[in-house]
Amino acid sequence: MSESARSAVAEFPKLHLGTAPDSWGVWNPSGDPLQTPWGRYLDEVVEAGYQYSELGPFGYLPKDAAIVRDEYQKRGLTLTGGTVFVALHKGVAALAKAKADCDAEMAVIGPNGARHLVILPEGYTDFDGNLTASPMLSDDEWNSLTKGMSELGRYLADKHAAVLVFHSHADSHVGAQHEIERFLDGTDPETVQFCLDTGHVAYCGADSLKLIREYPDRVQYVHLKQVNPAIRARVREEKLGFAPAVRLGAMVEPPIGEPDMPSLLAALGALDRDLFCIVEQDMYPCDLDKPLPIAIRTQQYFKTCGLTSGGQLVR
């Protein structure tokens, strides 16, 4: 093997690098003039060197599975999954709504071969950082959350052959280390897996390496993201909400933030299973010309770490 061919071999052949509309400043469905149009997003994903992409907020791309298939296929892209926000701590009605929302999402991503549904908890702050609900759950609400999530995971597996990967989130009831652990300990490991978002974990003061070490079988999907520690400290001091923190630049491109990516990738690689590792850098809103250069640099950085967009994927 030549030196050039040897250098092209990924160090982590089971970790598959992708990206998401979030890295293009997309937080909302279609119609937001502050966001990158979806056609431009897909074109720039290819230009940045990625082969895998999430769907983004439901309704950002068309809700027609055939259109999504055609748009991805003509660019040589593979769809990795979709996202749904739920409020299962609110009980039975919230679980019914979550099932309906997941059905709608799966009607788009399922026919396109995606099996991962990233489930995010409802937050308790608004776009201005104001509290919209209590930051604490009662024991009854925790019980509704964990039981409801286990049931939702079983529903998705049985009806859609899909994998529920729960995403802890800043300004939600599952963000800090003890909250993530309580959630994972309280949910069915057969039906509820974990989307390790390294940025949200770090933002909330939790430890990605510890979560990988203590819950290795639950980590079934990854969002790669870094936090600016100086801005995180300011957020804590000034008691800012997550959306204002993002506007300050709380999430940054690697390797200038935390956590350390080489050690994180080593831990993920040691799990020895296929994992989508989806780059996300929250930066809503942003100038439309800002994301692409960052995406190119980020893809090139991860390539130097031995993580590439490609490789033989076992679905």
Side-chain angles (χ1 to χ4, degrees):
M1 180 184 293
S2 68
E3 188 63 32
S4 61
R6 187 179 299 109
S7 64
V9 176
E11 183 179 349
F12 303 110
K14 292 188 176 182
L15 304 183
H16 307 281
L17 185 67
T19 192
D22 183 53
S23 293
W24 268 255
V26 175
W27 274 13
N28 299 307
S30 62
D32 186 340
L34 299 178
Q35 297 186 155
T36 303
W38 64 264
R40 176 174 175 173
Y41 162 70
L42 292 175
D43 288 342
E44 292 189 353
V45 167
V46 176
E47 188 174 348
Y50 294 99
Q51 296 179 25
Y52 299 108
S53 169
E54 277 187 9
L55 189 69
F58 192 58
Y60 171 60
L61 267 78
K63 295 180 181 180
D64 186 315
I67 294 175
V68 172
R69 181 184 63 247
D70 291 345
E71 295 295 335
Y72 270 65
Q73 284 186 350
K74 74 182 183 182
R75 293 173 173 88
L77 295 172
T78 297
L79 182 65
T80 66
T83 56
V84 175
F85 276 89
V86 303
L88 298 187
H89 63 285
K90 294 182 178 179
V92 175
L95 177 59
K97 182 179 186 304
K99 289 179 179 179
D101 290 345
C102 289
D103 286 342
E105 185 91 22
M106 288 305 305
V108 177
I109 71 171
N112 284 288
R115 296 179 55 248
H116 293 91
L117 199 53
V118 182
I119 301 297
L120 303 99
E122 181 181 77
Y124 52 71
T125 59
D126 62 17
F127 190 71
D128 295 319
N130 301 312
L131 283 175
T132 58
S134 171
M136 304 292 292
L137 293 182
S138 67
D139 286 343
D140 285 344
E141 289 172 319
W142 264 105
N143 187 54
S144 293
L145 170 63
T146 53
K147 287 185 64 177
M149 200 67 67
S150 296
E151 183 175 337
L152 181 62
R154 174 56 60 197
Y155 174 82
L156 291 173
D158 290 347
K159 183 171 182 179
H160 298 289
V163 180
L164 186 160
V165 284
F166 178 82
H167 180 307
S168 63
H169 203 282
D171 287 7
S172 82
H173 301 105
V174 188
Q177 185 79 21
H178 71 277
E179 293 167 340
I180 297 173
E181 292 176 357
R182 180 174 182 175
F183 175 86
L184 291 174
D185 292 341
T187 50
D188 186 349
E190 296 298 319
T191 66
V192 178
Q193 307 306 324
F194 189 50
C195 169
L196 176 69
D197 186 298
T198 63
H200 281 275
V201 167
Y203 181 92
C204 295
D207 186 336
S208 289
L209 291 177
K210 183 179 180 183
L211 290 169
I212 295 170
R213 187 167 59 248
E214 296 189 356
Y215 299 92
D217 295 336
R218 306 291 289 275
V219 178
Q220 298 288 340
Y221 200 86
V222 180
H223 282 169
L224 294 175
K225 186 182 298 182
Q226 282 195 322
V227 177
N228 181 318
I231 294 179
R232 179 181 57 195
R234 176 181 172 184
V235 166
R236 292 172 179 170
E237 181 179 351
E238 299 181 16
K239 296 180 172 57
L240 301 176
F242 180 65
V246 168
R247 295 196 291 274
L248 288 174
M251 300 300 176
V252 294
E253 64 183 279
I256 62 177
E258 297 176 351
D260 175 71
M261 284 297 171
S263 59
L264 181 70
L265 294 177
L268 291 171
L271 295 176
D272 194 31
R273 62 170 163 272
D274 283 288
L275 288 171
F276 285 123
C277 295
I278 305 301
V279 173
E280 284 196 329
Q281 184 182 338
D282 295 281
M283 48 184 174
Y284 177 87
C286 68
D287 183 277
L288 299 189
D289 292 328
K290 181 180 178 180
L292 178 58
I294 293 174
I296 292 172
R297 291 194 299 268
T298 300
Q299 193 269 351
Q300 292 173 345
Y301 167 74
F302 279 116
K303 187 174 182 180
T304 68
C305 296
L307 177 56
T308 61
S309 184
Q312 184 64 39
L313 176 65
V314 179
R315 287 229 183 194

